[in-house]
């Protein structure tokens, strides 16, 4: 006859406690992994938006430089026109004055 008595494991409760802790840690690890993936995606999206913003700023600067060049050309053109008009006005006034003096002398 064999003596078959159920064996009691003294550490069974401790093993179950550790198993529950391991399961909780695995759950936390999965959650944190998902959070890290979300943060990585958010960072990628943010970098994409920053690149777009940088492109927009560069485009605005390029347009500003082009606009400045156009303004410089227009100012130069206007200055040239003013000089020509001053010269023409002086010439016409001078010739008119000479005509008036000539008319007085010959009358």
């Amino acid at each position: 006859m064999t003596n078959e008595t159920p064996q009691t494991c003294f550490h069974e409760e401790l093993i179950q406690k550790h198993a529950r802790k391991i399961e909780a840690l695995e759950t936390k690890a999965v959650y944190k992994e998902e959070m890290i993936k979300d943060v990585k995606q958010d960072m990628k999206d943010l970098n994409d938006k920053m690149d777009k913003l940088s492109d927009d700023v560069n485009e605005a600067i390029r347009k500003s430089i082009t606009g400045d060049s156009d303004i410089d050309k227009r100012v130069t053109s206007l200055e040239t026109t003013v000089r020509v008009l001053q010269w023409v006005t002086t010439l016409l006034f001078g010739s008119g004055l000479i005509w008036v003096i000539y008319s007085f002398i010959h009358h």
Side-chain angles (χ1 to χ4, degrees):
M1 221 182 180
T2 60
N3 203 0
E4 292 188 26
T5 55
Q7 294 200 355
T8 306
C9 181
F10 297 107
H11 301 291
E12 182 67 30
E13 186 178 319
L14 186 61
I15 291 171
Q16 290 300 323
K17 183 179 176 182
H18 286 173
R20 286 189 298 274
K21 284 185 178 182
I22 290 171
E23 187 177 332
L25 289 173
E26 285 175 345
T27 302
K28 284 181 183 179
V30 168
Y31 173 76
K32 288 184 179 185
E33 187 176 324
E34 289 300 317
M35 292 299 293
I36 289 170
K37 286 180 185 177
D38 290 345
V39 168
K40 284 182 178 180
Q41 184 61 44
D42 290 346
M43 290 295 293
K44 182 184 178 305
D45 293 345
L46 184 59
N47 283 335
D48 291 345
K49 289 177 183 178
M50 288 176 62
D51 289 343
K52 174 72 170 109
L53 180 61
S54 179
D55 291 344
D56 291 346
V57 167
N58 288 335
E59 180 67 21
I61 290 171
R62 190 170 53 254
K63 284 182 180 179
S64 174
I65 291 170
T66 302
D68 289 349
S69 176
D70 291 343
I71 289 172
D72 288 343
K73 288 177 186 175
R74 290 177 62 197
V75 167
T76 302
S77 175
L78 290 171
E79 287 173 342
T80 303
T81 302
V82 167
R83 281 195 300 271
V84 169
L85 288 174
Q86 286 174 338
W87 181 79
V88 169
T89 303
T90 303
L91 184 64
L92 288 175
F93 181 73
S95 63
L97 186 61
I98 291 172
W99 184 257
V100 169
I101 293 173
Y102 178 76
S103 295
F104 278 125
I105 295 176
H106 285 345
H107 273 17

